[in-house]
Amino acid sequence: MAVKAEILNEESINSNFNGGAVLIVNDALYDSVNTGSTIYYTLPGPTLFKGEVSVSDGALTGNFIVPKSIRFENQNTGRLTIYAWDDENNASALGNDKSLLFLGSTNNEDPDGPDIDIYFENQESFNDGDLISNQPVLIADISDENGINITGETGHIISLKLDDKNPKDISGYFFYERNSYTDGYIRYPMDKLDPGLHTLKLTAFDNVNNISEQTINCKIAADAGLVLMNVVNYPNPFRARTEITKFTFEYQTQDDRDAEVKIKIYTIAGRLIQTIE
């Protein structure tokens, strides 16, 4: 589904407005929601899309895919909200349409779920089993040609499971990349983790409800000012005059600061022959 909008300056388009805009699309309203009292509320429907688009010369165009998991309410109460900004001119704009009717998506025979890549903030090169901070920010890049289901519908949520604990619904942390309705990311600040080995499993669905799961392992070091692990060099042994050996190590600090590392190389007899800082 395509969305087109213009930033107006009174009655005409503001052609000097350049920047970005956030598009949020909600399904049909929930009517007469009882929160346990005698007062009933009308609440926005589930989020169908949340992403960012570019604004050029006062105009913007965005696209999104209507998920299979809509409420199928025959009501024109779906909502599109747009918030736009122009940093250079210190300007902003807001608009909405509260009369959208969602009838569902077309049939799609794609059998594959989303692609998922998990890592952590400041650890883009994370490998399975690496050390991480004890209070990490999990980042997951998620993409699918049919878009990602972020409605939070029971049975089709984006969930994160830590070890043997109950999965958490983190659908609300998903955000599409700018000008995309297929690629997005999760940025989820996790609670403090205990020292030791942990297993994380992230589950996501595309908009036609194909499922994908990604499982990783990570390690949390015991509390200390600095923890150094897995210090090795390869090849070992090696011929100093004809070969090169490389040193690798893992470290973790309590405040995630860079560490100053000094490597000292000794002979088998215990004589220091080189220091590398």
Side-chain angles (χ1 to χ4, degrees), residues 32-82:
S32 302
V33 177
N34 190 337
T35 60
S37 65
T38 58
I39 302 176
Y40 290 81
Y41 296 89
T42 298
L43 299 178
T47 302
L48 306 184
F49 180 85
K50 182 172 60 177
E52 186 178 323
V53 298
S54 299
V55 180
S56 179
D57 299 329
L60 63 91
T61 300
N63 295 277
F64 67 94
I65 296 174
V66 177
K68 189 175 181 179
S69 302
I70 61 172
R71 299 185 61 219
F72 289 98
E73 296 285 330
N74 190 22
Q75 307 178 46
N76 293 68
T77 59
R79 179 178 179 130
L80 167 67
T81 303
I82 301 176

Side-chain angles (χ1 to χ4, degrees), residues 34-239:
N34 190 337
T35 60
S37 65
T38 58
I39 302 176
Y40 290 81
Y41 296 89
T42 298
L43 299 178
T47 302
L48 306 184
F49 180 85
K50 182 172 60 177
E52 186 178 323
V53 298
S54 299
V55 180
S56 179
D57 299 329
L60 63 91
T61 300
N63 295 277
F64 67 94
I65 296 174
V66 177
K68 189 175 181 179
S69 302
I70 61 172
R71 299 185 61 219
F72 289 98
E73 296 285 330
N74 190 22
Q75 307 178 46
N76 293 68
T77 59
R79 179 178 179 130
L80 167 67
T81 303
I82 301 176
Y83 173 75
W85 64 88
D86 179 348
D87 290 332
E88 185 174 340
N89 295 310
N90 193 27
S92 61
L94 178 67
N96 64 75
D97 185 338
K98 304 177 184 178
S99 61
L100 302 183
L101 174 63
F102 296 109
L103 300 175
S105 54
T106 58
N107 292 329
N108 192 309
E109 297 181 358
D110 171 29
D112 299 322
D115 294 325
I116 303 173
D117 180 28
I118 301 175
Y119 52 98
F120 296 90
E121 188 175 61
N122 300 321
Q123 288 186 253
E124 287 76 9
S125 57
F126 172 83
N127 291 310
D128 191 57
D130 279 356
L131 279 170
I132 63 171
S133 164
N134 64 357
Q135 200 164 359
V137 176
L138 180 142
I139 300 175
D141 294 330
I142 310 176
S143 62
D144 191 277
E145 64 180 9
N146 291 304
I148 308 303
N149 187 333
I150 61 174
T151 61
E153 180 202 37
T154 302
H156 297 107
I157 63 174
I158 301 177
S159 67
L160 179 65
K161 180 179 174 62
L162 171 64
D163 300 328
D164 58 354
K165 298 180 180 179
N166 292 328
K168 287 187 176 181
D169 182 356
I170 59 172
S171 304
Y173 290 85
F174 182 86
F175 201 87
Y176 280 96
E177 299 283 359
R178 176 176 275 209
N179 298 324
S180 177
Y181 56 93
T182 58
D183 302 343
Y185 60 92
I186 290 278
R187 187 180 185 278
Y188 179 69
M190 299 185 65
D191 295 332
K192 189 173 182 179
L193 300 175
D194 295 329
L197 181 66
H198 295 279
T199 299
L200 299 174
K201 182 171 75 172
L202 191 145
T203 303
F205 296 81
D206 63 18
N207 278 325
V208 291
N209 291 339
N210 295 312
I211 186 175
S212 287
E213 296 179 340
Q214 182 71 29
T215 300
I216 63 167
N217 299 293
C218 55
K219 290 181 289 189
I220 308 297
D223 291 345
L226 172 66
V227 177
L228 192 64
M229 298 177 61
N230 299 330
V231 183
V232 297
N233 69 297
Y234 182 85
N236 184 14
F238 70 101
R239 295 182 177 86

